[in-house]
Amino acid sequence: MASILVLDDVIDAGVLIKRILERKGHKVTAFTEEEEALAHARSHSVDLAILDIKLRRMTGVEVLEELKKIQPELRVIMLTGYPTLETARESMKLGANEYCVKPIDKDELESKVSDVLRS
């Protein structure tokens, strides 16, 4: 299964995603700090990153940009509780594969993760 990095400034959201995806057999590492997530990506092979758009120090879009410099082939799903067309467009332009709106729907998350990993 896949190695998945989750970055959300709300620890409970990261833990929820981790639980859902670990039940599917994935190896999930959840972070609340942008720098820790980027350091992990520099030292570990990651198949998929799930990034919240609203973070503490950076935006999810900025983290996406940095992750793509570290691992250009990395697949990415963006998460947001505040969906806007502009953010979606910018995320996709920078290489995000998919977009998920909070609150997280378990079936939707599993389906999107599965689709993105197959792409």
Side-chain angles (χ1 to χ4, degrees), residues 14-118:
V15 169
L16 174 66
I17 294 168
K18 180 178 168 81
R19 273 198 205 121
I20 291 169
L21 298 178
E22 282 182 341
R23 284 190 192 122
K24 290 289 183 185
H26 300 292
K27 180 181 182 288
V28 182
T29 311
F31 297 93
T32 56
E33 298 293 328
E34 300 89 336
E35 282 307 321
E36 288 176 13
L38 291 169
H40 178 80
R42 285 186 196 98
S43 60
H44 297 82
S45 177
V46 177
D47 300 305
L48 172 67
I50 300 175
L51 309 173
D52 190 12
I53 287 179
K54 294 239 188 272
L55 297 167
R56 292 183 181 146
R57 291 182 187 85
M58 302 167 75
T59 67
V61 175
E62 290 168 331
V63 173
L64 165 63
E65 202 169 3
E66 290 303 310
L67 284 171
K68 285 292 193 171
K69 289 176 189 171
I70 298 165
Q71 294 187 32
E73 299 305 310
L74 180 66
R75 295 183 205 97
V76 179
I77 296 174
M78 302 302 289
L79 290 175
T80 185
Y82 312 93
T84 67
L85 195 55
E86 182 185 320
T87 311
R89 226 183 253 132
E90 188 178 359
S91 299
M92 297 303 192
K93 188 176 80 183
L94 291 171
N97 302 85
E98 191 52 84
Y99 201 83
C100 221
V101 177
K102 289 179 173 182
I104 295 160
D105 176 82
K106 178 183 160 304
D107 295 330
E108 180 188 11
L109 178 68
E110 289 172 352
S111 171
K112 287 187 177 186
V113 165
S114 177
D115 291 349
V116 167
L117 288 172
R118 264 188 268 126

